[in-house]
Amino acid sequence: LDPFAGFGSIPLEALRLGLDATAVELLPTAYVFLKAVLEYPKWAAERKVDLAKEVEKWGRWVVERLGEDPDVKGLYGGAAVYIGTWEVKCPACGRHTPLVGNWWLARVKKGNEYERLAWMEWDNGVRVVDLGRARAEVKARGEEGEGGVVKAGGREYRVSAKNIDARRETARCLHCGAEINHRVVDGKVVKPSAKKKVGDWYVKWALRQWNERYERYLRGEIMLEELRESPARPTILAKVRLEGGDLRFEPADSQDVEKLWKAAEKLREMWGDPDIPTEPLPEYERRQMMVCTSTGACKWYQLFNPRQLLALVKLVKLIREVGRLAEEEKLREGWGREDAHKYAEAVTTYLAIALVNFVRHNALVNHWEGASWQPVRHVLAMRGIAMQWNWGDVNPYSEESLVSYKYLNYKNVEGLFYLLSAVSGSPGRVRVLLDDAASLSKLGGETFDVVVTDPPYADDVPYAELSDFYYVWLKRALSGVEGGRLVPR
């Protein structure tokens, strides 16, 4: 028995040893993963079902249908990832200025040489400086994102420092150079007082204005132009292509930004759809969930720009459609209804797990790092959901990106091959229970020979709170829809 089973590594080892294993979890998100790690591979092995091949087939179907969707087709072009940030309307000059937390695009070092070295510069717009593979000396100033000096090929380059410092509540306009440390008092923008801070910092106020207008636009209460003229709004800085295994960076253009607004128009037409996660973020007291109080992003859908959100909602619908089609396929092949339903349940679960892996790499609260060949750091990399100034917007059906939905589903299949081989010869049985380790009420007084567990680490990671980030998407992909409402399947 493992009463804190998590993602199931301990009961999986018990199965590999031929033992009967019972895995208990309280969190619904972890419960779904336990079924994928333990229950479905065991079921497939006993019935000689090549589950990995089936998941690969249906995953390919999802990607192909998404690429054909008229609402999504054309929104990504040939880019694998777009690098975006927030921009705010400067109180001094009135122009929208990007707030860039890190100008580096790639800084991948191997030995004494940089395998990839590139960064952005500002010249009335973004310009890319790309040294490719280079022997260079790089000295960063202060924090990791503080820019620095690059010496390469007999030349010296200066990489800009970030122009946003949220802790000090100040920013700098890239157009006019003005310091943006203004305050907002009773809805009016005022210059900061030398004696004390009053009201809200202008940038935080502007972000809250965006989230308020974002919902009002989607509800049909304001027009697109008013949304576009918000004091803060998302924008695209650069785009990344992968060619011959190498990264190619290009500045974003006006058409790239325009695609965000086209996606917003599609979302407005869909508003009220139960697959848009409009639930409020839980009001946890822990600091890891402070994104709501600081930016006004207090509903789950507000953690995504319009293009990200539209792609995720479309993926949810396609995964749910797979559940219906997969079950019908097996019934036509003569399977019993129970096994056909179990097969469809297993396939959609793996597709939904690839979805939430994609979700954590495709949000306004992920982070473009650039220090590795997988430069998009996922949302929970810092053990919380936090405001970010450089985020990645990932093409879901990209052939090259290591965090596209297509690639992540391939990695799922790869893992499933291992799980099937690990349990296929085991005589052990497995149970996965959604229950409380404090009571174990579903075990009915059953006894066990061995209890092996790895309990949670107190408050080191807020598992329950952060698992909701996955849960709001899992419950949509694994539910049905009747009368415009989600219902259990």
Side-chain angles (χ1 to χ4, degrees):
L1 167 69
D2 183 354
F4 298 99
F7 277 14
S9 58
I10 293 174
L12 176 61
E13 291 307 309
L15 269 183
R16 279 159 49 88
L17 292 170
L19 307 178
D20 294 342
T22 297
V24 177
E25 249 302 333
L26 180 62
L27 297 178
T29 297
Y31 172 70
V32 169
F33 275 85
L34 281 174
K35 290 171 77 72
V37 171
L38 303 170
E39 183 180 302
Y40 299 138
K42 185 64 176 171
W43 172 86
E46 291 172 350
R47 286 159 179 78
K48 310 298 183 184
V49 176
D50 191 345
L51 193 54
K53 183 178 179 180
E54 296 296 300
V55 171
E56 183 178 27
K57 177 187 76 174
W58 288 109
R60 188 166 55 249
W61 183 91
V62 168
V63 171
E64 289 172 355
R65 298 294 85 74
L66 182 68
E68 297 167 355
D69 189 303
D71 292 344
V72 178
K73 189 176 182 179
L75 287 184
Y76 289 93
V81 183
Y82 291 87
I83 303 170
T85 189
W86 291 94
E87 58 182 8
V88 299
K89 187 176 290 188
C90 174
C93 70
R95 300 177 67 181
H96 279 92
T97 177
L99 302 179
V100 184
N102 182 5
W103 291 91
W104 292 103
L105 292 171
R107 196 170 24 162
V108 185
K109 192 172 185 180
K110 185 177 181 180
N112 295 323
E113 192 171 65
Y114 282 88
E115 289 190 307
R116 210 63 182 78
L117 194 57
W119 62 91
M120 297 177 287
E121 292 183 342
W122 182 260
D123 183 14
N124 293 318
V126 168
R127 187 170 73 90
V128 171
V129 179
D130 192 342
L131 301 186
R133 187 183 184 99
R135 288 190 175 274
E137 180 184 353
V138 178
K139 292 184 178 180
R141 293 191 298 266
E143 301 173 19
E144 190 67 15
E146 281 285 327
V149 177
V150 176
K151 295 180 180 179
R155 289 188 59 185
E156 182 174 287
Y157 306 85
R158 294 197 174 272
V159 181
S160 298
K162 61 186 180 181
N163 70 322
I164 172 71
D165 190 334
R167 290 183 180 178
R168 293 180 53 236
E169 296 193 334
T170 188
R172 180 176 57 83
C173 177
L174 295 175
H175 297 290
C176 69
E179 185 176 7
I180 305 176
N181 55 1
H182 301 65
R183 315 297 295 185
V184 179
V185 181
D186 297 328
K188 295 182 179 180
V189 180
V190 300
K191 292 183 178 180
S193 168
K195 296 181 179 179
K196 64 177 181 178
K197 292 181 178 180
V198 296
D200 294 325
W201 179 36
Y202 173 78
V203 171
K204 288 185 177 179
W205 171 83
L207 289 167
R208 288 196 288 270
Q209 287 291 303
W210 161 263
N211 283 301
E212 180 183 321
R213 290 193 191 187
Y214 191 22
E215 180 154 329
R216 290 184 62 204
Y217 169 74
L218 294 175
R219 286 177 174 175
E221 297 173 3
I222 63 173
M223 302 304 291
L224 182 62
E225 191 57 35
E226 187 172 345
L227 179 65
R228 296 179 69 144
E229 287 303 311
S230 296
R233 63 191 186 188
T235 193
I236 303 297
L237 299 172
K239 50 193 174 185
V240 188
R241 303 178 190 275
L242 281 85
E243 297 179 352
D246 195 9
L247 300 173
R248 175 183 167 190
F249 300 100
E250 300 173 3
D253 55 36
S254 59
Q255 292 182 347
D256 295 318
V257 179
E258 196 64 30
K259 290 171 183 176
L260 299 183
W261 305 114
K262 288 182 178 179
E265 291 176 313
K266 296 296 181 182
L267 285 171
R268 180 181 171 114
E269 296 171 7
M270 297 171 61
W271 188 250
D273 190 306
D275 290 327
I276 300 175
T278 56
E279 304 96 313
L281 272 69
E283 295 182 4
Y284 298 118
E285 295 181 358
R286 300 183 184 185
R287 63 178 177 85
Q288 285 88 346
M289 304 292 283
M290 293 298 287
V291 67
C292 174
T293 55
S294 62
T295 69
C298 299
K299 296 183 179 180
W300 289 108
Y301 81 89
Q302 293 170 327
L303 300 181
F304 307 90
N305 74 39
R307 177 168 54 192
Q308 292 170 331
L309 182 59
L310 179 63
L312 295 175
V313 169
K314 294 288 186 174
L315 282 169
V316 164
K317 294 181 182 301
L318 288 168
I319 292 169
R320 197 163 51 234
E321 180 68 6
V322 165
R324 181 183 67 82
L325 295 175
E327 185 169 1
E328 290 177 354
E329 178 186 82
K330 292 309 175 188
L331 288 173
R332 287 195 302 270
E333 293 176 5
W335 285 35
R337 185 162 295 277
E338 183 177 345
D339 275 348
H341 184 79
K342 190 76 170 182
Y343 163 81
E345 180 184 296
V347 168
T348 53
T349 296
Y350 291 110
L351 297 181
I353 288 173
L355 170 69
V356 296
N357 201 357
F358 180 58
V359 169
R360 70 177 181 149
H361 289 95
N362 193 45
L364 292 171
V365 282
N366 69 19
H367 179 60
W368 179 268
E369 181 186 46
S372 70
W373 287 107
Q374 188 169 320
V376 180
R377 296 193 70 185
H378 65 81
V379 170
L380 307 181
M382 304 304 292
R383 302 188 179 191
I385 299 175
M387 181 66 192
Q388 300 293 344
W389 302 107
N390 292 59
W391 36 261
D393 183 344
V394 183
N395 182 337
Y397 38 82
S398 168
E399 293 280 352
E400 300 90 356
S401 172
L402 297 181
V403 290
S404 70
Y405 179 79
K406 182 174 186 177
Y407 184 82
L408 293 172
N409 196 63
Y410 163 75
K411 296 301 291 184
N412 258 12
V413 171
E414 195 175 72
L416 185 50
F417 271 118
Y418 167 77
L419 291 172
L420 289 167
S421 66
V423 304
S424 61
S426 171
R429 296 168 297 170
V430 65
R431 285 182 299 173
V432 176
L433 301 177
L434 185 65
D435 202 358
D436 188 344
S439 61
L440 298 175
S441 60
K442 294 183 180 179
L443 294 179
E446 183 179 350
T447 60
F448 292 83
D449 299 302
V450 181
V451 177
V452 181
T453 193
D454 181 14
Y457 309 117
D459 290 338
D460 185 48
V461 179
Y463 292 107
E465 293 92 330
L466 296 178
S467 72
D468 284 346
F469 182 77
Y470 294 159
Y471 178 70
V472 294
W473 295 103
L474 282 176
K475 75 176 183 181
R476 285 170 164 80
L478 301 178
S479 297
V481 174
E482 293 179 6
R485 298 174 62 90
L486 296 174
V487 295
R489 299 181 73 171

